[in-house]
Amino acid sequence: GQHAEIDMVVVGNAIYLVWSENITSTEQADEISAKINLSNNDTSSISPAIAVYHNKVHIVWSDQPFSNPNHEIVYRRILS
């Protein structure tokens, strides 16, 4: 895929990455373990950022629904 924007955090021996990308259905990222599609929607997802605090991974990004010209800020928390 084409990785346009990347943010990274290193905690101990773990590396956490978030990125926006343009992919096709035939592309895969086998080299990345535990890859999770957080947005999993039909919007334009951009400007990801990541932080880890007290064993929780905090991720934010901007979504722009195709039917709406305004961006929405989206937040997800994942236990590490």
Side-chain angles (χ1 to χ4, degrees):
Q2 299 174 353
H3 305 294
E5 301 168 300
I6 299 173
D7 194 17
M8 176 180 75
V9 172
V10 177
V11 179
N13 61 357
I15 300 171
Y16 299 92
L17 297 168
V18 291
W19 66 89
S20 62
E21 69 179 347
N22 297 321
I23 61 170
T24 65
S25 60
T26 59
E27 292 176 315
Q28 297 179 14
D30 294 331
E31 69 279 2
I32 299 173
S33 64
K35 181 180 175 181
I36 302 169
N37 181 346
L38 293 173
S39 60
N40 200 23
N41 58 29
D42 292 333
T43 64
S44 175
S45 301
I46 60 171
S47 303
I50 187 169
V52 177
Y53 185 71
H54 290 293
N55 296 325
K56 295 180 178 115
V57 180
H58 303 271
I59 304 164
V60 296
W61 68 91
S62 177
D63 263 359
Q64 182 181 16
F66 293 118
S67 61
N68 183 347
N70 299 317
H71 285 263
E72 300 171 354
I73 303 299
V74 182
Y75 167 80
R76 293 283 189 274
R77 182 182 68 198
I78 301 169
L79 298 177
S80 62

